Amino acid sequence: MSAKAETAAGHAGQMDAVYRDQRHFYDLTRNYYLRGRDRLIADLDPPEGGSVVEIGCGTGRNLILAARRYPKARLYGLDISEEMLATARAKIARAGLDGQIVLAQGDAARFDPARAFGFARFDRAFMSYTLSMIPPWRMAIAHLPVVLAPGGAAHIVDFGQQERLPRAFRAILFAWLARFHVEPRGDLREAVESLAAENEGLRADFAPLYRGYAWNAVIRRLTP
């Protein structure tokens, strides 16, 4: 096994351990502080019949909302944790959406969409509070344009740096997040803007949300 494969396998095992029990009540607790997820889904606006992939789909909560909002879209979900995927499969089946949503196990930083889902590019991709849990998070961002079709867009929402909130709040939040292997990425803006600047045909947009509690970024592929 290569070093990269060993790293991915180690991260998968860590995520399975973290979520083996948490997955059963994850959505009930996360509604209070994973802000901006529904706004991201509303902004996806895929073309009719278009393809949408969530990278780091967790329990399937976002995919279910996206499928209901865009009933003519084809939805796909990728997660490194088989434990989370087990919960996602059950939730999607209960929602009656297993005919519209396809799931696969894989690493956000290096997955092969053709192998996972049978085709190479998507009209929309999104990552909701996942970069802060991915050790090679810059690799995951750099991989996004690879899976985007021409005219496609990748939407990201994750923890910001709480820049317009009280300093004590930031310290308490970051200490609590660290207990769950969550590390807000202070260089997110620089990463997406550098990716666009270094690759012709890409454009990056960035905006803080909720006084910096969350950050939103969009990477658009303007040309093939």
Side-chain angles (χ1 to χ4, degrees):
M1 183 181 292
S2 69
K4 286 184 178 180
E6 288 181 358
T7 298
H11 183 51
Q14 182 186 66
M15 291 299 96
D16 280 343
V18 168
Y19 290 120
R20 185 164 290 117
D21 295 322
Q22 284 192 48
R23 64 191 177 95
H24 299 295
F25 52 85
Y26 181 93
D27 289 334
L28 290 175
T29 58
R30 268 55 176 186
N31 280 339
Y32 298 104
Y33 64 89
L34 299 187
R35 305 188 64 189
R37 295 183 296 174
D38 295 351
R39 174 175 175 163
L40 179 152
I41 292 169
D43 288 343
L44 289 175
D45 193 25
E48 186 169 329
S51 56
V52 180
V53 61
E54 180 177 15
I55 301 169
C57 63
T59 64
R61 180 261 188 196
N62 296 330
L63 286 171
I64 290 170
L65 290 181
R68 288 172 174 164
R69 187 177 185 96
Y70 307 110
K72 295 184 179 180
R74 294 167 291 138
L75 278 295
Y76 301 86
L78 183 91
D79 204 280
I80 200 169
S81 169
E82 285 288 1
E83 295 286 344
M84 282 299 226
L85 287 171
T87 294
R89 291 187 187 101
K91 288 172 67 74
I92 289 166
R94 286 197 301 270
L97 294 167
D98 43 347
Q100 188 183 355
I101 301 172
V102 177
L103 301 178
Q105 193 273 344
D107 182 351
R110 52 182 66 87
F111 80 98
D112 179 352
R115 178 176 294 179
F117 301 114
F119 60 96
R121 293 186 175 185
F122 301 88
D123 297 299
R124 299 290 185 271
F126 69 101
M127 303 182 75
S128 171
Y129 288 92
T130 53
L131 285 176
S132 51
M133 298 194 72
I134 298 173
W137 65 276
R138 287 180 177 271
M139 287 178 59
I141 289 176
H143 194 54
L144 288 172
V146 176
V147 305
L148 285 181
H155 296 248
I156 299 166
V157 68
D158 215 310
F159 291 106
Q161 293 294 296
Q162 323 299 307
E163 56 268 24
R164 295 178 58 201
L165 292 168
R167 187 174 299 177
F169 177 84
R170 179 184 188 276
I172 293 169
L173 177 65
F174 279 28
W176 185 76
L177 292 174
R179 297 176 58 190
F180 302 98
H181 308 283
V182 178
E183 182 182 352
R185 306 306 184 185
D187 295 335
L188 176 59
R189 181 171 191 168
E190 181 272 332
V192 297
E193 291 182 348
S194 293
L195 180 67
E198 294 165 5
N199 292 271
E200 185 178 357
L202 296 184
R203 190 184 86 197
D205 299 299
F206 178 91
L209 306 175
Y210 317 115
R211 299 175 65 193
Y213 179 87
W215 283 353
N216 175 261
V218 182
I219 300 168
R220 304 183 191 277
R221 176 174 285 286
L222 307 178
T223 59

